[in-house]
Amino acid sequence: RISGLEEEVARVTGIVAALGMPPYHDLAGNPIDISPMGRHRNDYRIELGEGYVFCTTCEVVCPPRASHCRDCDNCVLAFDHHCPFVNNCIGQRNYRFFCALLASAMCLGVATIAGVAIWFGHSQVHAWANRVAIVAFVACAVTLVVFVAGLGSLHAYLVVRGLTTREAFTGRVGDRGRTLLHLRGP
C-alpha cells in the first residue's frame, strides 16, 4: 500500500472513500450518488464530468469511453467487448488485431471452400458416403464464413461510425470523438 495515495486521489477527483468502501463522499462530506455498472456487487461508477468516471472496482479514474470488464476485472480504454474466442478484452489497443483476425478467418474459410470445391471437381470420388461427407463439410464451412463475414461487416460499420460494440448496443455514446467521416458532436 502506498502512503498518501488515497489523499492524492481524493484531491484530484474530489472523491473521498471511507476505508475504500462505499458510500463515497465529496470533499465537503456530502454523499455521492453512485449508479450500478455491472452484475457484481462492487461494480459501480461515479460520474466526474467531462466523460470521466471513477471505477470503484479498480479504484481508478477512467477516461471517457473506458469501461470495466467483469470477465477480466480490469478497466479497458475504448472497451468494445470481451471476446470469448480469444479470451481477451477488445478495446483501444487491440481492436485492429481483432479486425485482422476476422479478416484472416474469413480469407481462410473462403480458401478452404475453394480448395475443397476444386479438389471435389477434379477427384474421382465415386463413393456416395464420401460425397455426402464433403458436401456436409462445405455446408458447415459456408455457414461459418457467412457468420464471420457478418461479424466483420458489423465491425466495419462500427469503425466507420466511430462506435464500439458496447456503445452501439447500449445506446450510450459520448458527444466527443472522431469517426472516419466526421467529428462526433456539435
Side-chain angles (χ1 to χ4, degrees):
R1 198 161 173 114
I2 301 172
S3 64
L5 180 63
E6 290 179 5
E7 292 81 14
E8 180 66 18
V9 170
R11 186 185 65 74
V12 171
T13 62
I15 297 173
V16 178
L19 300 174
M21 300 296 291
Y24 291 92
H25 303 280
D26 63 12
L27 293 176
N30 302 321
I32 296 175
D33 184 35
I34 56 177
S35 58
M37 181 177 138
R39 295 182 190 172
H40 294 89
R41 70 181 160 87
N42 290 334
D43 286 348
Y44 291 96
R45 50 194 261 158
I46 302 170
E47 302 290 333
L48 300 176
E50 298 286 325
Y52 288 89
V53 294
F54 180 76
C55 177
T56 60
T57 304
C58 297
E59 295 186 352
V60 297
V61 176
C62 298
R65 301 183 77 191
S67 185
H68 189 83
C69 176
R70 64 172 191 240
D71 296 315
C72 294
D73 199 29
N74 287 317
C75 284
V76 180
L77 290 173
F79 179 70
D80 191 79
H81 66 284
H82 183 87
C83 182
F85 301 111
V86 296
N87 193 27
N88 201 1
C89 288
I90 307 301
Q92 178 176 328
R93 294 188 302 175
N94 62 355
Y95 189 74
R96 68 187 75 146
F97 301 113
F98 175 72
C99 291
L101 172 72
L102 290 179
S104 63
M106 194 168 73
C107 290
L108 177 65
V110 168
T112 302
I113 292 169
V116 169
I118 291 170
W119 176 81
F120 187 68
H122 293 313
S123 71
Q124 301 297 325
V125 177
H126 297 293
W128 182 80
N130 288 341
R131 288 180 183 249
V132 170
I134 291 170
V135 169
F137 172 77
V138 169
C140 289
V142 166
T143 303
L144 288 174
V145 166
V146 168
F147 171 73
V148 171
L151 196 58
S153 299
L154 169 70
H155 282 281
Y157 168 77
L158 293 176
V159 166
V160 170
R161 295 292 312 258
L163 298 171
T164 65
T165 303
R166 184 181 180 111
E167 291 169 344
F169 288 117
T170 62
R172 289 184 286 183
V173 180
D175 60 349
R176 294 190 178 123
R178 182 152 186 80
T179 68
L180 288 178
L181 304 176
H182 57 74
L183 284 172
R184 196 176 340 167

